[in-house]
Amino acid sequence: MAAPRVAGPGPAPLLRVTAECGRSRARAGELRLPHGPVPCPVFMPVGTRGTAKGVTAAQLAALGCRICLGNTYHLGTRPGPELVRRAGGLHAFMDWPHNLLTDSGGFQMVSLVELSEVTEEGVRFRSPYGGEEILLSPERSIEIQNALGADIVMQLDDVVSSTTTGPRVEEAMHRSVRWLDRCIAANRRPEQQNLFAIIQGGLDPALRTKCLEEMTRRDVPGFAIGGLSGGEEKDQFWRMVKLSTDRLPRDKPRYLMGVGYATDLVVCVALGCDMFDCVFPTRTARFGSALVPWGSLQLKNKQFAKDFRPIDENCGCPTCRRHSRAYLHALLRSETAALHHLTVHNIAYQLGLMASIRQSILAQRFPEFVREFLSAMYGARERVPRWVGEALAAVGIALD
């Protein structure tokens, strides 16, 4: 008689936590992904159409980036998933040996609201390229993401602006739960492509709590906190982040979508978030702004015309090693190369900030790091925004 079959162990958890702050919710660890481990907390540059604007994939890798984003809506309309699949997937298409996360296309419901219509079936878009109508259903979103081959794929969610109120927010929350089930069923590569749920519910604690209860019943590899960072008051923002991290599983990654300001990153790590993305560092570079520990430098200003220092004397990025503020100021008047140099620096700044956060958690000195960061960024204690102090106090970090 054959021995009864014993079920083997399930897949290893996506997140391995290696250290936790003894006071706040901050934690350090790594995401164990198909294209290599990713230390976290992590900031992920946004590469809408296969590269972050202003830099090459090779430059991103040289800066230490090990995961970046692609956009399902844009890649799904041009050049199209079939062409990318024939190229060997998005990794091969963009010559990127590291990890990728593709969003679902849901955010375009907000950013292209004039061109979209939402029904239970999905989202109907009018293509901004040729005007033809496109239906992005949960199944189609996952089909495109399976063809692109990203290591992390996102459910299609019903996205409303964070400042929207009334019955539309509740409708979107319930529909996002239903669409999650359709995305789970549609994912043809669950072993290679980790599907994340996206928590919705707007700024309503009851709706967000209901969404958390429903979605955490599904066995997905990770969770994103969506529907925030869209113009709401910071006091509302941090409370919704904390409400979400309070109720999300400890052993799964928590991805706060669309957050990239340095202060927000530090505070939201304290609140328990592991992953972040935002176009901010690349977009602000295109306006001539360089990120520094004390805020930003607007290098178009004439005060930098004869300033031969690097952007930041403590930054080791290629831009700061080779070029002065004066040179960049001169280039910004006529040459797009300046925007490239600033983009390299700004991404390096974001990645360096996250590395410093990780190291402080591993060294059990995260609260001290937070106070040092805020002192450098704002100077006097009274200049630190009130919401920052309140958010940090809520997880045990006092600024005094």
Side-chain angles (χ1 to χ4, degrees), residues 80-289:
E82 179 57 26
L83 186 144
V84 175
R85 186 191 63 77
R86 286 169 55 195
L90 188 54
H91 291 88
F93 190 60
M94 61 183 283
D95 190 24
W96 177 251
H98 306 295
N99 295 286
L100 288 167
L101 181 153
T102 42
D103 70 3
S104 63
F107 178 70
Q108 275 64 43
M109 295 180 206
V110 174
S111 64
L112 299 175
V113 66
E114 299 85 2
L115 302 173
S116 67
E117 176 192 3
V118 186
T119 67
E120 191 63 28
E121 187 180 11
V123 195
R124 291 193 180 277
F125 290 100
R126 192 158 299 283
S127 171
Y129 303 116
E132 67 275 13
E133 189 174 271
I134 301 163
L135 173 65
L136 187 65
S137 65
E139 293 78 12
R140 179 58 177 159
S141 174
I142 296 299
E143 181 185 4
I144 294 171
Q145 292 185 80
N146 282 163
L148 297 176
D151 304 87
I152 297 175
V153 298
M154 305 303 298
Q155 77 154 107
L156 183 66
D157 53 339
D158 187 354
V159 182
V160 294
S161 168
S162 61
T163 56
T164 300
T165 58
R168 177 71 183 97
V169 180
E170 182 171 7
E171 175 191 51
M173 183 275 286
H174 287 297
R175 181 173 286 141
S176 294
V177 175
R178 294 191 295 272
W179 282 3
L180 172 59
D181 289 334
R182 289 167 62 183
C183 288
I184 292 170
N187 188 8
R188 297 289 174 256
R189 305 181 71 234
E191 300 300 320
Q192 297 83 23
Q193 295 185 272
N194 297 277
L195 174 64
F196 278 30
I198 303 178
I199 306 299
Q200 291 291 345
L203 302 175
D204 186 318
L207 290 181
R208 196 163 280 270
T209 298
K210 178 65 175 175
C211 191
L212 283 154
E213 290 171 353
E214 288 294 329
M215 287 190 171
T216 53
R217 290 185 184 132
R218 278 72 173 171
D219 185 20
V220 292
F223 293 89
I225 302 169
L228 298 174
S229 196
E232 73 277 6
E233 295 294 326
K234 288 293 191 181
D235 189 58
Q236 298 172 303
F237 163 77
W238 79 258
R239 292 178 191 279
M240 290 301 101
V241 173
K242 183 176 183 296
L243 182 150
S244 302
T245 57
D246 283 349
R247 291 163 174 79
L248 286 171
R250 178 189 173 278
D251 61 342
K252 294 187 177 181
R254 305 162 184 161
Y255 165 25
L256 182 55
M257 306 180 80
V259 168
Y261 295 148
T263 298
D264 295 6
L265 294 172
V266 171
V267 170
C268 291
V269 167
L271 296 176
C273 297
D274 306 303
M275 304 166 64
F276 306 87
D277 81 284
C278 192
V279 298
F280 169 67
T282 50
R283 179 172 289 170
T284 197
R286 297 196 295 277
F287 289 95
S289 185

Side-chain angles (χ1 to χ4, degrees), residues 284-301:
T284 197
R286 297 196 295 277
F287 289 95
S289 185
L291 303 178
V292 289
W294 56 97
S296 64
L297 303 179
Q298 180 44 260
L299 291 174
K300 290 182 179 179
N301 292 346

